[in-house]
Amino acid sequence: MKFVCMGGSARRALTFAKLLAREFGYDDREVLAYGDTERYSLYKVGPVISVSHGIGIPSLSILLNEMTKLLISAKAQNPVYIRMGTSGGIGVEPGTVVLTTESISPKLTPVFEQTVMGETRYYPTLLTQNLNDEIYQLRNQLPVTMGKTFSTNSFYEEQMRSDGLFNPSFSNSEKLEFLHKLYEMGVRNIEMESLALSAFCLQAEIPVAVACVTLLDRLKGDQVLASKEELLDYSNRSHQLILSYIKSKIENGAM
Amino acid sequence: MKFVCMGGSARRALTFAKLLAREFGYDDREVLAYGDTERYSLYKVGPVISVSHGIGIPSLSILLNEMTKLLISAKAQNPVYIRMGTSGGIGVEPGTVVLTTESISPKLTPVFEQTVMGETRYYPTLLTQNLNDEIYQLRNQLPVTMGKTFSTNSFYEEQMRSDGLFNPSFSNSEKLEFLHKLYEMGVRNIEMESLALSAFCLQAEIPVAVACVTLLDRLKGDQVLASKEELLDYSNRSHQLILSYIKSKIENGAM
């Protein structure tokens, strides 16, 4: 086992597992989840684990602890962790895959916080630069960019959406000013997991990348305007990119 | 629609929906999820919605926004939100259902924090006292207690478990000292959602209760020692308690 590919939903984990199976010449109807699927769904296809982590940092953090302990027990050598998902874009065309260089917290710092026994601890959130470079070189015709990722603990409130339950406490122009400020800081997309994933992998010394496609440009609005077919195409782009990376590593004899 | 009953996993949402169906005299094989189940699973049985919220506050917070907007569109009158789940106990017998009176953050304050546009906001986390009183009166033979709930953003690190990936940065006696301090503050269990649920419902003026059963007593260790059968029995206790409450409301003509 060499590559751990993660995404939010069980459906995405299965979709990617089937893509891998077809690529490796297996019958994709034989792709079955390992173990219990009450909390997470895990598939193993050749040297790749495809697994769901749920929504947000708390759900992800349990998976990271438990899966990494399993890999250590299984004596897996030098695994690489890659998260694929969707995100809101900032100043990039919808459908762009953003490779995260560094994750930025809601407090606008590249820091993940955990409070243990009442004491807050701070962890850096850099992603693995040479892994990003390797993946970026394989982008081929896909729209791929590198940038920072704003990583929040809520989808509506902390991402300043105007279509949550509560009326926003800010004007549209204040929101746009803030989004432009994020852009100036080098942020190109917004999601909900990379802050903890990067911090965990730095601590555990595991190379890690986050490749999330953008579904909209938040500088232009809060609603996704792409059609169902476009969204499916967008969603597949991070899979295609990471599949190219995995194939290139296998062909270059990294296995 | 009157009662929204939530739990972490899709499986729990279905189990509770089937329990309701049998209680209301429906064929429980006809209990089907509404809509897409990629992120959450939602069932409607009579006046009750049984829905999964995933693990942790970020996942829960998306559900709360989207479901509450739906209920408002559907002109639901005076809904009550109830979370049922499992938890780690502090100083109570495993199998005790804890009704949360107030939720306590990892920073040891009854406060939920959100950072919007770089500015941190603070929300109170009281649960609905008279709802707790009504539920408590229906405990019958079940072991039920009221107490504060320590609500964290991770299962391993912030809950001071010694069996995560990283070696804990504290000794066992420091951990026990901290858990005893929580007990002295009135905390009786630990979970990962009540902090945001209580804050959201206070803001939205929705009565809310959290009834989580404890699977172990953290003052005695980090490992669950109950058998599979005992755990199933424990897990059903919050369902039984909340079912009693819903039946009593229906019988008293609250519908």
Side-chain angles (χ1 to χ4, degrees), chain A residues 9 11 36 38 40 55 58 65-66 69 72 106 114-115 121 153 155-158 163 165 169 200, chain B residues 9 11 36 38 40 55 58 62 65-66 69 72 106 114-115 121 153 156-158 163 165 169 200:
Chain A
S9 76
R11 191 181 298 166
D36 193 4
E38 182 167 7
Y40 309 101
I55 298 172
N65 272 281
E66 298 186 353
K69 284 192 293 179
I72 290 170
Q114 274 187 327
T115 301
R121 298 165 185 195
N153 288 311
F155 180 79
Y156 290 98
E157 298 85 353
E158 291 191 344
D163 54 354
L165 178 67
S169 53
F200 181 93
Chain B
S9 77
R11 190 182 297 168
D36 193 4
E38 182 167 8
Y40 308 101
I55 297 171
I62 297 174
N65 272 281
E66 299 188 350
K69 287 193 291 180
I72 290 170
Q114 274 186 326
T115 302
R121 297 163 186 196
N153 287 310
Y156 289 98
E157 298 85 353
E158 291 192 343
D163 54 353
L165 178 68
S169 54
F200 181 94

Side-chain angles (χ1 to χ4, degrees), chain B residues 27-47:
Chain B
D27 183 343
D28 71 2
R29 289 166 302 181
E30 289 176 13
V31 171
L32 297 174
Y34 278 65
D36 193 4
T37 56
E38 182 167 8
R39 303 291 186 169
Y40 308 101
S41 289
L42 186 149
Y43 303 89
K44 184 179 175 304
V45 185

Side-chain angles (χ1 to χ4, degrees), chain B residues 171-187:
Chain B
S171 68
N172 198 49
S173 63
E174 286 170 324
K175 176 174 75 180
L176 283 175
E177 196 182 314
F178 183 76
L179 290 170
H180 277 284
K181 182 176 165 182
L182 289 175
Y183 184 85
E184 295 302 318
M185 290 174 65
V187 171

Side-chain angles (χ1 to χ4, degrees), chain A residues 57-74:
Chain A
I57 287 172
S59 184
L60 171 77
S61 79
I62 297 174
L63 178 78
L64 289 176
N65 272 281
E66 298 186 353
M67 201 182 48
T68 310
K69 284 192 293 179
L70 276 177
L71 293 185
I72 290 170
S73 297

